[in-house]
Amino acid sequence: MVALGSFLTTMSSSVLNVALPDIARDLAVSPARAGWFMLSFLLTVTALLLPAGRLGDLVGAGRVYLIGFALFGLGSVACAAAGSAWLLDLARVAQGVGSALVMASSPALTTLSVPPERRGWALGLLSTATYLGLAIGPPVGGLLVAALGWRVIFVAAAAAAAIVLLVGWRAVPLARPPARAVGFDPWGALLNALALLALLLTFTRGPAWGLHHPWTIGAALTGIALLVAFVQLERRHPTPTLDLGLFRTPTFSTAVVAALLNYVALFILLFSLPFALREGYGVTPQVVGRVLAAQAAGMALFAWGAGSLADRIGSRGLAALGMGILALSLGGLVLFWPPADPWRTSLWLFGCGAGTGIFISPNSSALMGSAPRERQGIAGGVMALARNLGMALGVATASGLFAAALGPQRGVV
């Protein structure tokens, strides 16, 4: 059930990039302004992941999961009906709130629904469903947008949410957690959200503003100050939004850092490569889309099997092997660039996807397995936060490299 939900929502969300030019033209906004339709969603999701994970520990991961899908569906309907850029921004925020609840509760719901000896298998299935959605979404979205217009992608997202709610109402466990999982930390949740918002704005918009611009410096200092205040509050709070004690477990802390670095490396590549192929070598958008699909296909093919194998032989060796394959594939792209044929690039991208697929399921299993049962919601929130922060940092790093090489006006989209 959780895998079905991940597949449907990932597929419906991944088509937005295809539709952005049409949305910008229809709402009469610039490409830079259209980027906020993506950014408003990303900022909302990332800021709410930790509170959403804690909420799952308090009221039950199944309840949070279904509430998240309801909000995602309502936000999708609002997106389809939006008549202006600001209304679409607000609707995307509503989608982001629902997605944060779903993303934070999905790992916890998965691990709590299976015995420990099948945890890797279950998380591998969840990852495979996610990557299949990422691979299938853009080509399907391109066909839908070409035939029916951009609003249909949000109608499809709302339909996907309705399907999950109808099936999930009977399939998802709605039992409450143990009585000891009580208490919520509202000030911690607020500090966490504001700190992450400020830091993400620094990373994502800093290259456009300029490193020495007052907005960049102010956002960075505000984010750091709020993050320090958040950590100090969580250390003393009896029921914290983020249980810092989890990071005293070496397996948990190293798995979080490894996931963060994996997504940073991957999204530097995924952001930069389309520009290199299209602007540098004149490759058509259709070919670029097919080339990039090789990376998602590699992840989808290997994630489930790696998770199942981790249940039998452990996670450490597989996670290291996956990161090694990713590093070799990234090195291959560098050493054999420029490509004589774009399809050769897809082979290296398939290797990047395979390495990530081999890494991510065992690493996720190790992370979730190192957290106690009553902290599975927080652990799931941290895992999703590492993924989203890694994506944002990867895009910001690539944007900064473009700005340094080409100048701020040409280097940042």
Side-chain angles (χ1 to χ4, degrees):
M1 177 61 226
V2 180
L4 172 65
S6 294
F7 171 74
L8 290 175
T9 53
T10 304
M11 184 176 68
S12 60
S13 298
S14 64
V15 303
L16 186 61
N17 281 338
V18 179
L20 274 180
D22 299 82
I23 296 173
R25 184 168 53 252
D26 189 38
L27 298 182
V29 299
S30 67
R33 175 64 181 84
W36 280 93
F37 302 144
M38 297 287 292
L39 193 57
S40 58
F41 179 85
L42 172 67
L43 293 174
T44 302
V45 170
T46 306
L48 295 180
L49 282 171
L50 289 182
R54 177 59 183 158
L55 187 63
D57 288 334
L58 293 175
V59 304
R63 295 170 186 267
V64 171
Y65 183 80
L66 294 180
I67 292 171
F69 264 109
L71 291 175
F72 180 82
L74 291 173
S76 299
V77 171
C79 287
S84 69
W86 287 110
L87 287 175
L88 184 54
D89 283 332
L90 292 175
R92 288 287 285 165
V93 168
Q95 267 193 323
V97 174
S99 291
L101 295 175
V102 171
M103 289 182 187
S105 59
S106 292
L109 189 59
T110 301
T111 56
L112 291 172
S113 300
V114 298
E117 61 272 15
R118 288 177 61 82
R119 183 174 55 240
W121 175 89
L123 290 170
L125 176 60
L126 182 62
S127 298
T128 299
T130 300
Y131 300 142
L132 279 174
L134 288 173
I136 294 173
V140 171
L143 293 173
L144 288 174
V145 171
L148 301 171
W150 64 268
R151 295 182 189 275
V152 73
I153 67 172
F154 295 112
V155 174
I163 291 171
V164 172
L165 286 171
L166 287 173
V167 178
W169 188 255
R170 293 182 176 274
V172 173
L174 299 177
R176 288 186 175 274
R180 59 185 172 181
V182 296
F184 189 71
D185 173 20
W187 290 110
L190 180 62
L191 284 174
N192 160 75
L194 293 177
L196 288 175
L197 282 172
L199 292 174
L200 275 176
L201 283 172
T202 304
F203 295 138
T204 56
R205 303 307 301 160
W209 293 333
L211 294 180
H212 303 292
H213 194 278
W215 281 104
T216 305
I217 297 172
L221 292 178
T222 300
I224 292 170
L226 290 172
L227 188 61
V228 171
F230 170 70
V231 171
Q232 293 301 318
L233 176 64
E234 299 305 276
R235 291 176 61 185
R236 299 191 301 270
H237 202 282
T239 56
T241 299
L242 174 61
D243 185 355
L244 297 175
L246 291 172
F247 290 92
R248 298 192 187 102
T249 304
T251 300
F252 184 88
S253 56
T254 54
V256 170
V257 173
L260 179 71
L261 294 176
N262 176 269
Y263 282 104
V264 169
L266 195 60
F267 273 78
I268 290 175
L269 169 67
L270 294 180
F271 181 86
S272 304
L273 193 60
F275 288 98
L277 291 174
R278 290 196 64 186
E279 304 298 330
Y281 299 95
V283 179
T284 65
Q286 293 90 337
V287 172
V288 170
R290 292 168 192 157
V291 169
L292 292 179
Q295 184 265 339
M299 289 194 293
L301 283 174
F302 285 90
W304 195 359
S308 298
L309 190 58
D311 289 333
R312 296 195 293 271
I313 67 172
S315 299
R316 182 178 300 178
L318 285 170
L321 174 63
M323 285 290 259
I325 293 173
L326 174 61
L328 287 173
S329 300
L330 290 171
L333 279 169
V334 173
L335 292 174
F336 295 96
W337 191 268
D341 182 338
W343 297 111
R344 295 184 185 179
T345 301
S346 67
L347 295 177
W348 292 112
L349 279 176
F350 182 83
C352 291
T356 300
I358 293 171
F359 161 80
I360 203 66
S361 297
N363 189 72
S364 299
S365 179
L367 188 156
M368 297 299 295
S370 64
R373 189 174 181 85
E374 68 274 11
R375 291 289 185 267
Q376 288 291 295
I378 292 180
V382 171
M383 188 171 85
L385 180 60
R387 179 179 63 244
N388 276 44
L389 279 178
M391 293 176 181
L393 287 172
V395 171
T397 301
S399 297
L401 292 173
F402 274 122
L406 304 175
Q409 296 304 316
R410 291 187 61 207
V412 180
V413 178

